[in-house]
Amino acid sequence: TYTLIINALVGLLSALIGAGVVLYAAQRSHKHEEMMASQETAKEERQKRRNLFGQLFSERKGLTQLYFSRFEATIHSQVHESAQKILKKQNGLKEDIDRNIAEQSYWKHRGNELLEKLALEEMRLSEITGLISVSFPETQELTRLINQLNEIKTLKPPYQPDFEDLTALEAWKTDTLLRLDIKVKQEYLTPINDLIVFLKPLVEDNA
């Protein structure tokens, strides 16, 4: 009788141990699967951030060049319009007046084309920064830098005074284009660079 009881207890204990081993193995397997899934999610998230960083980086040069070209076209259009007025006052040659009319028409058309491209690029930049805001850890600094980009306002064409001769007009154009290059870098390139500098450590391998 005792033998039967002992055998039954041993059998029960073995079954319990076996069940415990199976449960432990299952739990370890589940934890391993969770860990692997977590690592894969983290890997995908890092790659997503790198892709967004790359898009922002490539957008920088093209967008700032578009801003400069757009305002450059506006300035050239203004200059050729003013040149026409000066030539008419001075009874200039008709060929010179017609040439300035054609140049003004070209630059005006060019400016409108660039404005359309600029609108598309601004929309793309807005999409990129929107994705960045939800893909990177939310911090006050990140919010500030994105707001800084979103608050960029279109540069207004510079005030053009009346000129009495073409030499003064040409000098104004040269000086204005030089200052425009500085202004574009300050107003548009710097905010994008600031965001790139902030994000760079967050997309490096040790981040």
Side-chain angles (χ1 to χ4, degrees):
T1 302
Y2 289 114
T3 302
L4 291 175
I5 293 173
I6 290 171
N7 287 338
L9 290 173
V10 170
L12 178 60
L13 182 60
S14 297
L16 289 173
I17 291 173
V21 170
V22 170
L23 179 61
Y24 176 73
Q27 287 178 336
R28 285 202 60 176
S29 177
H30 180 66
K31 287 181 179 179
H32 178 71
E33 289 175 0
E34 285 185 335
M35 183 183 70
M36 293 298 292
S38 177
Q39 289 178 348
E40 187 63 28
T41 299
K43 182 180 177 181
E44 291 175 358
E45 191 64 28
R46 284 196 300 271
Q47 188 57 49
K48 181 180 178 182
R49 291 176 182 177
R50 289 192 183 106
N51 290 340
L52 287 170
F53 180 82
Q55 291 174 36
L56 179 66
F57 193 87
S58 64
E59 191 74 10
R60 175 182 61 174
K61 183 176 180 180
L63 186 60
T64 50
Q65 182 58 50
L66 267 176
Y67 276 120
F68 179 84
S69 298
R70 160 66 179 137
F71 296 116
E72 179 187 40
T74 301
I75 291 167
H76 280 293
S77 177
Q78 289 178 337
V79 166
H80 288 292
E81 182 179 8
S82 294
Q84 295 168 49
K85 295 177 182 178
I86 293 171
L87 287 168
K88 287 176 182 178
K89 284 182 181 180
Q90 296 176 348
N91 295 317
L93 295 175
K94 183 178 182 299
E95 306 91 85
D96 292 336
I97 295 173
D98 290 344
R99 178 176 55 80
N100 277 282
I101 290 174
E103 288 286 343
Q104 182 194 4
S105 178
Y106 165 79
W107 284 109
K108 190 172 182 180
H109 179 70
R110 173 70 173 154
N112 289 335
E113 286 182 336
L114 289 167
L115 189 60
E116 292 178 5
K117 291 181 181 180
L118 193 52
L120 291 175
E121 289 303 313
E122 285 180 329
M123 187 182 300
R124 175 168 166 73
L125 179 64
S126 180
E127 290 172 355
I128 293 172
T129 54
L131 290 170
I132 286 174
S133 68
V134 297
S135 301
F136 285 80
E138 183 179 355
T139 64
Q140 288 184 344
E141 183 62 6
L142 178 60
T143 301
R144 184 188 72 80
L145 291 170
I146 290 178
N147 287 340
Q148 182 175 269
L149 266 178
N150 293 335
E151 289 169 2
I152 285 178
K153 294 180 175 59
T154 301
L155 285 174
K156 293 181 179 179
Y159 169 72
Q160 179 179 333
D162 291 328
F163 294 99
E164 297 298 326
D165 61 82
L166 295 176
T167 302
L169 178 63
E170 186 66 24
W172 177 86
K173 182 188 76 172
T174 302
D175 180 64
T176 302
L177 287 174
L178 178 61
R179 286 187 287 111
L180 175 65
D181 183 55
I182 297 171
K183 187 72 171 175
V184 166
K185 288 176 180 176
Q186 177 185 341
E187 294 290 331
Y188 299 106
L189 185 59
T190 298
I192 298 176
N193 277 342
D194 288 346
L195 183 57
I196 287 174
V197 169
F198 175 80
L199 295 177
K200 188 179 180 188
L202 301 177
V203 297
E204 293 175 342
D205 291 334
N206 58 351

